[in-house]
Amino acid sequence: MRQKLNGASTGGIQAGEVALSILTRIFGGKSGREAFRPLFAEVVATGRDPAWYKEGGVPDTLDGRFDMIAAVLALVLLRLERDGSASAEASVLLTELFIDDMEGSVRQMGIGDLMVGKHVGRMIGALGGRLAAFREASAEGRGFEAAVRRNVFHEAPPSEAALGFVSRRLEALSEALGRQSSAALLAGKVPRL
């Protein structure tokens, strides 16, 4: 049975569904992001790999885990960037998942509503800094040591061995991502090290 909503036929769709559909079209919905949740989960799993913290000496703290997840995400985004416009939407949606996750984490830490945006903004800036540092190092054919020293260890690595371990491992991940097909990556397959 067809229903009328303000005189228009809705084909049996409820008024709330019509309103939601219109709002989703205007403001965009989260449904597009869901396709990239497996990839984001793999980014997080790779960033949380215990080797970063044990052998690499990255502090196993909220900040240390953020540093590693952001570093891995930056490498994945740089790999997607190589595809140009073909993966642009995927990069945006993956970044939105990161933002949602970071916002949730900040709220769980008890940060009030008035400060959430400021904290998340700093985190997005940190991601942008990693993107720039790894992009520059890759373009110049340099290793990631300077970028890791600055962006993971904040100029204070626990040892040169730890710095070397994390740098080489991120370089290996970057190289493996470079060999990964776009389809496999977008399906959530992040190379294992």
Side-chain angles (χ1 to χ4, degrees):
M1 171 185 226
R2 294 187 166 260
Q3 298 177 2
K4 296 266 184 183
L5 178 65
N6 294 333
S9 173
T10 62
I13 298 173
Q14 299 297 315
E17 292 176 74
V18 171
L20 183 59
S21 175
I22 291 169
L23 289 174
T24 300
R25 275 188 255 141
I26 292 171
F27 297 110
K30 292 185 179 182
S31 63
R33 294 181 199 167
E34 294 307 309
F36 301 102
R37 192 159 298 280
L39 176 55
F40 184 69
E42 283 299 307
V43 165
V44 170
T46 302
R48 298 284 309 269
D49 182 340
W52 299 118
Y53 309 97
K54 290 178 182 171
E55 290 89 349
V58 175
D60 193 5
T61 62
L62 286 173
D63 288 341
R65 290 188 294 268
F66 168 81
D67 289 333
M68 287 314 306
I69 291 168
V72 171
L73 178 60
L75 295 178
V76 168
L77 291 172
L78 289 172
R79 167 57 189 84
L80 293 173
E81 188 178 272
R82 190 180 83 186
D83 294 339
S85 61
S87 292
E89 182 179 7
S91 293
V92 168
L93 295 173
L94 188 60
T95 303
E96 288 177 0
L97 284 169
F98 173 74
I99 293 167
D100 285 350
D101 189 62
M102 293 302 108
E103 181 180 344
S105 294
V106 167
R107 288 184 187 282
Q108 284 180 346
M109 292 182 335
I111 304 296
D113 287 343
L114 296 176
M115 298 302 292
V116 168
K118 184 176 182 177
H119 283 275
V120 172
R122 280 197 301 252
M123 292 173 165
I124 299 307
L127 175 62
R130 284 159 181 79
L131 281 163
F134 291 132
R135 183 184 295 119
E136 181 181 310
S138 295
E140 294 176 2
R142 292 185 286 123
F144 288 169
E145 200 164 287
V148 169
R149 180 182 298 277
R150 184 176 54 251
N151 291 289
V152 174
F153 291 115
H154 308 284
E155 302 297 344
S159 69
E160 290 303 308
L163 175 62
F165 177 86
V166 174
S167 299
R168 286 188 304 276
R169 200 154 187 249
L170 286 172
E171 290 165 12
L173 177 60
S174 180
E175 291 168 9
L177 285 166
R179 293 186 300 271
Q180 183 87 322
S181 74
S182 298
L185 184 59
L186 293 173
K189 293 179 174 63
V190 173
R192 294 289 177 191
L193 300 176

